[in-house]
Amino acid sequence: GATLRGADLEGRRVTRLHLATRWGDAEVEARGFVDASGDAAIAWHAGLPVREPESPVFGSQMFQIEGIDEAEFAKFDRWEVERVLADNADAYGLRRKDGFVFAQPGTGIGLANMTHIPTPTEPVGASMAGLDGKDQADRVMALLRDKLPAAMGRARIRAYGLPGIRQTRWIAGTHHLTTDEVRAGTRFDDAVARCSWPVELHNRAEGVHWEEFGDDHMHWVPLGAMTPADADNLVAAGRCIDGDVAALASVRVIGPCMAMGQAAAHALDLAGAGSVHQLDRAALRDRLRDNLERNDHDPWTAGA
């Protein structure tokens, strides 16, 4: 529950974080740090170089719906629901014209991802974006109830999530991951995570740009994209690693982010009091072998 308000950089090492908590201010000193803030908050507060998108990348206000008539909802596939949204978005004041509802069988509950909101990195703007997201969610709910009355006529919003933020600010690493490297499936000598998610770029208010790859496609996250060039004991993990906007739109999803977190911890452990730029890459690969090489037989297709 703490909020970062400052980071000390001495030479090439982050030495201390300054935090505000509900019980008062606190300081944390450590040998190394993982920046999993999503917004490169440690790097930014430490005065390290960071990057920001040159064009908007929209976030989403997710929300939970209850009271869905599952039998009626099952008559519609995702694409039909999306067509209803696209045909009526303007009339309901919605900026996004695609999206979907995930229904949880047997509960009458679904999760909606059908909004786009700005995600500024300043406090008043961020607060206003949160209010805007709830307004967009309310408008989506009104549309669904009106246009799909048999399935959604008795439905209502059960809960609003926190504003979903995709890309705001990220580190300047020793490697800048590119879309061409994602498309080519480039495997780097310092690869620490693998991914097969398509490019999912939310750069238009009205919809999402998808670039899908083949079923056997795999691309990789290098440690260099996670290590700020000007710091020896800081590793980024998650959506604030270094890459172009489209490349990040593929690797910022949950599975690779989890693998990056594990890689960041092992990299700092191997670096010790030294530099994450000079660690034993073979030893790091060995520790991450499950994430890089393991390919268990899929139990869902056993016998197929």
Side-chain angles (χ1 to χ4, degrees):
T3 299
L4 181 66
R5 56 187 300 184
D8 295 342
L9 183 69
E10 298 177 10
R12 292 180 53 85
R13 302 190 74 82
V14 177
T15 57
R16 186 179 300 103
L17 302 184
H18 301 272
L19 306 165
T21 80
R22 61 184 293 181
W23 297 281
D25 292 344
E27 294 182 355
V28 174
E29 297 180 359
R31 189 173 65 179
F33 296 88
V34 179
D35 192 334
S37 65
D39 305 310
I42 296 179
W44 185 77
H45 278 290
L48 294 166
V50 294
R51 308 185 197 275
E52 296 186 6
E54 296 180 358
S55 58
V57 178
F58 290 93
S60 289
Q61 174 66 63
M62 306 281 279
F63 58 101
Q64 198 175 51
I65 301 172
E66 65 183 2
I68 298 172
D69 186 312
E70 292 186 40
E72 291 293 330
F73 188 71
K75 297 177 182 179
F76 303 97
D77 64 19
R78 168 183 169 179
W79 309 113
E80 189 165 356
V81 173
E82 191 166 286
R83 284 193 294 274
V84 170
L85 177 62
D87 291 344
N88 296 280
D90 289 341
Y92 283 78
L94 294 169
R95 61 176 66 94
R96 184 173 176 180
K97 300 181 179 181
D98 65 5
F100 39 87
V101 177
F102 298 103
Q104 183 177 350
T107 66
I109 295 172
L111 181 67
N113 183 359
M114 308 178 83
T115 66
H116 266 166
I117 57 173
T119 53
T121 53
E122 56 89 11
V124 175
S127 180
M128 295 301 293
L131 296 174
D132 174 57
K134 291 179 175 62
D135 177 68
Q136 288 284 300
D138 290 344
R139 293 170 182 270
V140 168
M141 193 68 252
L143 185 157
L144 293 175
R145 293 182 67 172
D146 290 348
K147 301 303 177 181
L148 301 174
M152 294 288 189
R154 296 178 179 273
R156 64 180 183 179
I157 293 179
R158 178 186 178 96
Y160 303 95
L162 293 172
I165 302 173
R166 289 188 173 89
Q167 295 176 30
T168 52
R169 184 173 56 209
W170 52 91
I171 67 164
T174 58
H175 184 94
H176 183 71
L177 185 66
T178 69
T179 309
D180 286 343
E181 290 169 334
V182 168
R183 291 181 178 129
T186 303
R187 181 162 183 174
F188 309 94
D189 182 58
D190 63 341
V192 296
R194 53 185 167 169
C195 181
S196 60
W197 194 254
V199 172
E200 180 193 344
L201 185 55
H202 293 251
N203 63 335
R204 299 180 297 116
E206 63 272 19
V208 184
H209 168 76
W210 291 91
E211 181 180 340
E212 298 186 0
F213 308 112
D215 290 344
D216 295 328
H217 177 85
M218 192 75 67
H219 51 278
W220 306 83
V221 177
L223 181 65
M226 299 167 54
T227 48
D230 298 324
D232 288 330
N233 67 332
L234 178 63
V235 184
R239 64 182 175 84
C240 59
I241 70 167
D242 194 8
D244 66 41
V245 172
L248 290 177
S250 174
V251 301
R252 59 162 174 71
V253 289
I254 293 174
C257 287
M258 292 163 55
M260 285 184 242
Q262 185 180 35
H266 281 297
L268 288 169
D269 184 53
L270 286 169
S275 172
V276 291
H277 303 296
Q278 299 174 339
L279 53 77
D280 185 338
R281 291 185 177 182
L284 181 61
R285 286 194 298 270
D286 186 62
R287 291 190 181 195
L288 303 175
R289 186 168 301 280
D290 279 356
N291 285 347
L292 297 174
E293 307 292 347
R294 188 169 175 174
N295 190 24
D296 291 355
H297 183 61
D298 183 356
W300 295 102
T301 59

